[in-house]
């Protein structure tokens, strides 16, 4: 655990960590919203929403 903290504190700039956190939160939030939309729709539209959720989650990672 200490090694991970040292890596975050010493090897990254101060603004990169909050920015990465924001990007991860936004992509997760978007993916969950799109997943909810996929559950509400049926057929081909549902597949489109599901693909959008997958892309959002993957892009955030």
């Amino acid at each position: 655990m200490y090694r991970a903290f040292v890596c975050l504190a010493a090897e990254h700039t101060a603004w990169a960590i909050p920015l990465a956190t924001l990007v991860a939160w936004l992509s997760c939030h978007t993916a969950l919203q799109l997943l909810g939309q996929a559950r509400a729709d049926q057929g081909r539209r549902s597949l489109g929403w599901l693909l959008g959720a997958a892309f959002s989650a993957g892009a955030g990672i």
Side-chain angles (χ1 to χ4, degrees), residues 4-60:
F5 178 71
V6 170
C7 177
L8 285 174
E11 297 182 14
H12 293 84
T13 57
W15 58 269
I17 296 170
L19 179 63
T21 303
L22 178 67
V23 167
W25 185 84
L26 284 174
S27 68
C28 182
H29 179 73
T30 302
L32 290 175
Q33 292 295 324
L34 291 173
L35 184 60
Q37 190 66 35
R39 287 183 174 180
D41 282 341
Q42 294 179 354
R44 288 184 149 286
R45 292 191 69 184
S46 179
L47 180 61
W49 289 115
L50 187 60
L51 290 174
F55 177 78
S56 176

